[in-house]
Amino acid sequence: MLQRAAAAQASWFDDYAGTLATVLGDGQATDRAGNRVAVDHVIRWAAEAARTAHEAGNKLIFVGNGGSATTASHMATDYNKNGNLRTMALNDGSMLTCLANDYAFEHVFAKQVEFHGVRGDILVAMSASGTSANILNAVRTARAIGCTILTMSGFAPDNTLRGEGDMNLYLPSDYYGVVEIGHLTLCHAILDFSMERDGRGPARRRV
């Protein structure tokens, strides 16, 4: 009985892991004009853009809601500590509640981009749905300042965020968990590629 239950659980997880792998494998990338480009090209582009921005005295700014907010904090930490890149995540609780109270929640990230963003910074905007007003407003504010923009989205293939970045990574799934884990994977891929290329970290162990 226990063996049958374990087999059923393993089967469910194998299916879940397979779904995640399939979604990542089916991920799509587009440029600002909407032209399809290889995901690998965007990984390499993002790594190079981050290093170039840092060397010019600029920074990466990560934004996201909910689970994506934790990814923003996680990546700001890893890109800074491991990647030796200037970073920030715009999700301090006191700041968010202040700006939501004074300007409305759809402006909590845009106002911070106004405060901290400068021409040449890179905004990494993550939204599973690609329709969050506060993320879209942050992107448009960053565009007006002169920032470079990388977006990560999922759900509908024609979501608004997907058309707003200089480069856009899209995962074809309507499962929050799969999209959020996928975005985390893409962020790590950019960082790990940058570290391998520049000799600042151990290369992946090939299996």
Side-chain angles (χ1 to χ4, degrees):
M1 182 65 130
L2 289 175
Q3 288 179 333
R4 284 199 301 273
Q9 289 177 335
S11 171
W12 185 92
F13 181 74
D14 286 348
D15 182 63
Y16 187 89
T19 297
L20 177 59
T22 297
V23 169
L24 282 167
D26 290 343
Q28 300 170 17
T30 50
D31 62 16
R32 191 174 178 186
N35 300 311
R36 288 283 293 272
V37 296
V39 171
D40 186 73
H41 170 75
V42 178
I43 299 299
R44 295 169 184 270
W45 169 87
E48 179 62 32
R51 178 54 48 193
T52 299
H54 176 83
E55 291 175 351
N58 291 100
K59 61 187 174 294
L60 288 91
I61 303 172
F62 293 88
V63 293
N65 289 301
S68 297
T70 64
T71 299
S73 289
H74 182 171
M75 290 299 99
T77 298
D78 281 6
Y79 276 56
N80 186 212
K81 180 179 75 75
N82 299 329
N84 191 30
L85 296 162
R86 290 181 199 84
T87 64
M88 65 186 307
L90 305 183
N91 54 16
D92 176 78
S94 177
M95 180 64 77
L96 290 176
T97 55
C98 169
L99 297 177
N101 184 64
D102 291 353
Y103 298 100
F105 192 68
E106 59 264 33
H107 300 298
V108 294
F109 297 130
K111 294 303 295 184
Q112 293 185 78
V113 171
E114 285 183 21
F115 298 156
H116 302 294
V118 297
R119 178 177 295 276
D121 285 350
I122 298 173
L123 180 73
V124 181
M126 295 171 282
S127 170
S129 69
T131 61
S132 299
N134 56 6
I135 300 297
L136 294 170
N137 286 334
V139 167
R140 290 160 185 167
T141 299
R143 174 73 65 203
I145 290 172
C147 299
T148 298
I149 298 161
L150 171 65
T151 77
M152 297 185 185
S153 63
F155 291 21
D158 60 349
N159 73 74
T160 306
L161 183 62
R162 191 181 179 192
E164 296 286 333
D166 294 289
M167 290 293 180
N168 306 280
L169 292 166
Y170 166 74
L171 297 179
S173 174
D174 56 2
Y175 287 95
Y176 267 110
V178 168
V179 173
E180 289 176 347
I181 293 169
H183 289 169
L184 180 63
T185 301
L186 291 167
C187 286
H188 270 298
I190 293 166
L191 177 59
D192 290 347
F193 173 78
S194 174
M195 292 171 65
E196 286 186 24
R197 184 200 61 180
D198 297 341
R200 292 191 310 279
R204 289 168 293 137
R205 184 172 67 88
R206 302 318 200 263
V207 295

